[in-house]
Amino acid sequence: MIRRVLTVAAAAALIPLWPVAADATSHARFATFNASLNRNAEGQLVGDLSTRDNAQAKVIAEIIQRTRPDVLLVNEFDYDADGKAARLFQDNYLSVGQGGAQPIGYRYRFTAPSNTGIASGLDLNNDGNVVTTPGAPGYGDDALGFGAFPGQYGMVVYSRYPIDERGVRTFQKFLWKDMPDAALPDNPETPEPADWYSAKEQQVVRLSSKSHWDLPVRIGGRTVHFLVSHPTPPTFDGPEDRNGRRNHDEIRFWADYTQPGRGGYIYDDRGRRGGLGQGEPFVIAGDQNADPNDGDSYQNAIRQLLDHPKIDSRSAPSSEGAAEAAALQGGANATHKGDPKYDTADFADTAPGNLRADYVLPAKRLKAVGGGVFWPPAADPLSRLSGVFPFPSSDHRLVWLDVNP
């Protein structure tokens, strides 16, 4: 049985210190932030957040306080079954003004298990060894999702608006093989197709490297489905491209889920089948680890969402800081095809360079009225929060979009 943690906490008075929605009474700000609040050992994040003096958590909290999202996905936030880390981050960091910013309170939050660091008991990387000891070399490659321990690189959602707990759907256990025409990896040393994973392994291998969640958020008199995930990076593998192909299909999941007639094969962790209903409003968010023009994606994976008939991808958040960084850092950035102002992640200058990896994508029936990427230019005093390597916060930037639900 999957344990989910959905809590209600006291809200605080809010004072904007960064661009906010034009009309806070009619627009909601949705955001995603790969905050790199992952740790090397189980329980370490809880320990770090138990006090109010963790330098990285303070910076992450200040970025959130200055952008003030209404509904926020945080990727790379280690999961614990009691939701203690999520509560401590609110109580000790978000609820405390950081660097001159005003506290921000989220009355609702949601977290659930992640496939990361769960031992599969199988040799999923085909190196001849089955590693089942958390933290041991090769353990992450044989786990259901890469991770040194169960829950590493998990995620959490904070919301000012109620989350309909009864309507929540999680898809942690959906098997990759059950996606029609799945891009399962092939062992290049054999003549059989799509055989990197044996028949036995295909009965165990899950599609989500972390999970996929459908969280119905009640905004005024309407419900908007917040569809969140964090597909695996399309790298760290071999010619079989198992991570690239998994990234592609993790992104495809939402493309099928939001297209009537294409999501009938999908089942959630409670056994309910089917995708999103016709005409239901949604916002897709997360670190998709895929750029539309550059990087190592399999078959231009993110285009499955950007070119989707039900998704509005015209309002692409951007920043002055991203364009400035690409010009100053050079390297791989100088060869990129995409406009650097849309980058959301500051990666190695040698390869792959900075990329657009993080997205907030609304349904076409929702009206996008603004958005941005928290990547201030060097001359802005707030650039201290994003910084340069080694980053004080994360190598990703918070991305937001204001929509009229």
Side-chain angles (χ1 to χ4, degrees):
M1 179 178 179
I2 287 182
R3 182 172 186 179
R4 300 180 297 183
V5 180
L6 190 150
T7 60
V8 178
L14 309 179
I15 301 177
L17 290 180
W18 191 259
V20 296
D23 181 354
T25 62
S26 60
H27 302 144
R29 174 164 291 182
F30 290 84
T32 183
F33 192 9
N34 182 332
S36 298
L37 283 169
N38 57 282
R39 298 297 185 258
N40 295 324
E42 191 168 8
Q44 186 177 349
L45 181 61
V46 170
D48 285 352
L49 299 180
S50 295
T51 69
R52 294 185 173 183
D53 58 4
N54 182 268
Q56 183 204 15
K58 287 166 69 73
V59 173
I60 293 295
E62 184 175 349
I63 291 172
I64 295 169
Q65 289 169 354
R66 292 190 180 277
T67 51
R68 313 198 77 77
D70 296 307
V71 187
L72 168 68
L73 165 67
V74 182
N75 287 133
E76 295 199 4
F77 190 102
D78 293 344
Y79 169 78
D80 65 273
D82 295 324
K84 191 172 182 179
R87 175 180 60 79
L88 290 170
F89 185 55
Q90 174 67 73
D91 294 347
N92 290 338
Y93 292 91
L94 295 175
S95 294
V96 178
Q98 309 290 343
Q102 294 295 314
I104 186 166
Y106 291 101
R107 192 176 180 188
Y108 308 93
R109 55 183 175 263
F110 179 90
T111 188
S114 170
N115 284 325
T116 47
I118 297 178
S120 69
L122 300 165
D123 180 20
L124 298 185
N125 66 347
N126 288 352
D127 68 350
N129 300 301
V130 176
V131 185
T132 57
T133 303
Y139 177 81
D141 285 329
D142 284 342
L144 295 180
F146 185 85
F149 59 85
Q152 189 182 32
Y153 307 113
M155 53 190 186
V156 61
V157 168
Y158 292 91
S159 177
R160 289 181 54 236
Y161 301 108
I163 299 171
D164 177 9
E165 184 176 10
R166 291 186 177 182
V168 167
R169 301 182 72 188
T170 64
F171 303 89
Q172 181 197 12
K173 296 181 180 180
F174 179 85
L175 296 180
W176 192 357
K177 73 173 182 65
D178 290 338
M179 173 176 277
D181 300 316
L184 291 167
D186 177 63
N187 186 341
E189 298 180 358
T190 67
E192 292 79 13
D195 66 339
W196 177 263
Y197 298 120
S198 68
K200 178 181 178 181
E201 289 169 342
Q202 289 188 27
Q203 296 296 326
V204 174
V205 173
R206 299 172 180 178
L207 173 65
S208 297
S209 53
K210 288 82 178 175
S211 189
H212 286 67
W213 302 340
D214 174 351
L215 306 183
V217 179
R218 295 172 179 166
I219 303 176
R222 302 193 64 186
T223 295
V224 177
H225 292 261
F226 197 40
L227 309 180
V228 302
S229 60
H230 183 191
T232 190
T235 53
F236 310 113
D237 50 24
E240 82 288 348
D241 199 16
R242 66 186 186 279
N243 289 331
R245 288 168 173 265
R246 188 179 193 179
N247 171 275
H248 177 279
D249 282 0
E250 286 194 77
I251 293 171
R252 178 190 156 189
F253 182 90
W254 288 137
D256 289 352
Y257 189 77
T258 56
Q259 178 64 50
R262 282 175 45 184
Y265 67 89
I266 293 173
Y267 53 86
D268 63 28
D269 294 324
R270 291 176 173 172
R272 178 186 166 194
R273 290 188 171 269
L276 203 60
Q278 176 75 34
E280 293 192 56
F282 62 85
V283 174
I284 298 172
D287 173 5
Q288 304 294 332
N289 273 311
D291 185 287
N293 300 291
D294 303 294
D296 301 312
S297 293
Y298 174 75
Q299 292 188 354
N300 213 343
I302 196 62
R303 285 291 171 191
Q304 297 174 103
L305 300 182
L306 297 182
D307 299 337
H308 194 286
K310 298 293 184 179
I311 296 173
D312 181 5
S313 61
R314 296 170 297 174
S315 300
S318 63
S319 71
E320 183 181 343
E324 177 188 71
L328 291 174
Q329 294 168 6
N333 296 293
T335 66
H336 282 181
K337 300 175 183 177
D339 189 331
K341 72 179 183 180
Y342 299 119
D343 290 343
T344 68
D346 192 343
F347 292 148
D349 302 335
T350 51
N354 304 341
L355 298 173
R356 183 185 181 191
D358 308 86
Y359 297 82
V360 180
L361 299 169
K364 281 187 174 178
R365 65 174 301 171
L366 298 177
K367 181 181 179 182
V369 295
V373 179
F374 188 88
W375 198 332
D380 189 321
L382 294 182
S383 67
R384 62 180 170 81
L385 300 175
S386 51
V388 295
F389 183 83
F391 306 105
S393 49
S394 171
D395 55 353
H396 290 255
R397 307 293 181 249
L398 184 148
V399 180
W400 79 86
L401 197 71
D402 297 329
V403 301
N404 183 351

